Amino acid sequence: MDKHTREEAEKAFGRLLDIMDTLREKCPWDSKQTNQSLKSNTIEEVYELVDALTEENDHEICKELGDVLMHIVFYSIFGREKGTFDIVDVCDKVCDKLKFRHPHIYGNVVATTPQQIEDNWEQIKQKEKDGNKTVLSGVPKALPSLIKAYRIQDKARHVGFDWKQKEQVWVKVKEEISEFEAEISNMDEDKAEAEFGDVLFSLINAARLYNINPDNALERTNRKFIRRFNYLESKTIAQGKKLKDMNLSEMDQIWNEAKEHNL
């Protein structure tokens, strides 16, 4: 596929802006939308994009990126109507931010490794006029808990709050598992829940230290389980049986077949 020119890109974006303005004015559904009414749709679109990215499906990635871009334009229209900002302000703000946060490109700061650049990024964010006032203030409250834990730990790392040697994390993991087991033995559900959270948090920390994205890792396991369970279910149906009528030994036999088939 040939690369489009800058002129074609600008024309395509201008076409999107024109269409969105027309829909906002003439479409009964588009004309009644607000920040709040569109919010849940936006979340759904982003998850659909993540699905496409996970599947490495370029056709779907392109399609879902368009949907997300449409939402960005939509929110910019809302801002323009309120007189607070428009799409130009959105573009200018992100351009200014990118230049400010890349002083090794647009300034005289020396940073030659991804780690140095990442560390500088976090420090610069706290210096910005409207930036994060504390180390952890930039972590969105609405992030899924697993991703939020990873981001919290990563931000703490940038200011030196981390193990000197990554192997030390396993002492903490074992300690948290022991505390969880103790509360399970005590039959204290509330404390057990709190300790289980600590177990997860320590394991996410371990993943971070070993350069494993815990969300990606868990999603791989989710998909693997789905593939194997679907195999188990389809094989059971083919045998004229129902899963609920089978014992665990019978199900394990088919489950192991799925593993042998690398599902």
Side-chain angles (χ1 to χ4, degrees):
M1 180 178 178
D2 292 334
K3 185 178 179 181
H4 290 101
T5 65
R6 170 64 68 87
E7 183 179 314
E8 289 173 320
E10 292 173 353
K11 183 178 179 181
F13 189 60
R15 181 176 174 230
L16 174 62
L17 296 179
D18 290 340
I19 290 173
M20 292 298 293
D21 281 339
T22 298
L23 294 177
R24 181 63 170 171
E25 179 184 352
K26 298 182 178 180
C27 174
W29 187 88
D30 290 276
S31 62
K32 74 174 185 177
Q33 296 309 308
T34 66
N35 284 336
Q36 299 309 313
S37 68
L38 198 62
K39 184 171 59 176
S40 60
N41 294 47
T42 305
I43 294 170
E44 183 178 338
E45 295 296 353
V46 172
Y47 274 113
E48 289 177 359
L49 172 60
V50 170
D51 280 345
L53 292 168
T54 302
E55 296 290 343
E56 293 283 0
N57 186 323
D58 288 337
H59 174 76
E60 287 299 311
I61 291 172
C62 180
K63 171 176 161 297
E64 299 302 339
L65 281 171
D67 290 343
V68 172
L69 180 58
M70 176 193 71
H71 279 243
I72 293 170
V73 173
F74 223 152
Y75 291 115
S76 300
I77 289 174
F78 301 156
R80 184 186 67 198
E81 291 171 348
K82 291 188 292 185
T84 52
F85 67 89
D86 61 15
I87 192 65
V88 174
D89 298 312
V90 172
C91 292
D92 282 344
K93 274 189 174 294
V94 73
C95 288
D96 291 343
K97 179 168 67 175
L98 286 171
K99 292 183 71 173
F100 184 72
R101 293 188 184 177
H102 288 78
H104 55 290
I105 302 296
Y106 297 100
N108 55 10
V109 172
V110 177
T112 57
T113 68
Q115 187 61 64
Q116 289 175 327
I117 294 168
E118 200 174 327
D119 290 340
N120 286 343
W121 182 280
E122 291 297 332
Q123 293 171 20
I124 291 168
K125 283 170 73 173
Q126 292 190 54
K127 294 179 182 177
E128 289 174 339
K129 183 178 179 181
D130 57 349
N132 303 326
K133 304 304 179 186
T134 64
V135 173
L136 301 181
S137 62
V139 180
K141 295 178 182 178
L143 270 182
S145 298
L146 191 149
I147 299 174
K148 185 190 292 185
Y150 185 90
R151 293 295 295 133
I152 288 170
Q153 295 164 2
D154 194 48
K155 284 185 176 293
R157 172 183 67 82
H158 285 293
V159 295
F161 191 74
D162 205 359
W163 280 277
K164 291 182 179 180
Q165 297 173 336
K166 61 185 179 182
E167 293 80 8
Q168 294 173 315
V169 73
W170 298 115
V171 175
K172 187 64 174 176
V173 170
K174 292 172 183 176
E175 174 189 318
E176 298 297 355
I177 291 174
S178 295
E179 291 177 0
F180 171 61
E181 289 176 333
E183 296 305 339
I184 289 293
S185 298
N186 293 336
M187 302 296 289
D188 189 320
E189 291 186 7
D190 182 65
K191 289 184 178 179
E193 180 183 89
E195 293 299 341
F196 187 68
D198 290 346
V199 171
L200 291 177
F201 196 84
S202 64
L203 285 171
I204 291 167
N205 233 340
R208 176 184 60 81
L209 289 163
Y210 284 86
N211 298 316
I212 295 171
N213 184 303
D215 190 57
N216 291 346
L218 182 58
E219 181 58 18
R220 284 183 66 173
T221 297
N222 288 341
R223 290 171 180 265
K224 179 172 64 178
F225 185 91
I226 289 170
R227 289 193 305 270
R228 291 177 179 176
F229 193 86
N230 286 344
Y231 179 88
L232 167 63
E233 190 172 26
S234 62
K235 196 73 180 287
T236 302
I237 292 172
Q239 294 175 356
K241 301 178 181 178
K242 294 181 180 179
L243 282 174
K244 64 179 182 179
D245 296 329
M246 298 176 66
N247 60 45
L248 186 57
S249 177
E250 292 172 315
M251 287 191 280
D252 273 344
Q253 184 177 349
I254 299 175
W255 184 270
N256 288 329
E257 284 181 21
K259 291 173 67 175
E260 290 173 4
H261 291 306
N262 293 320
L263 294 179

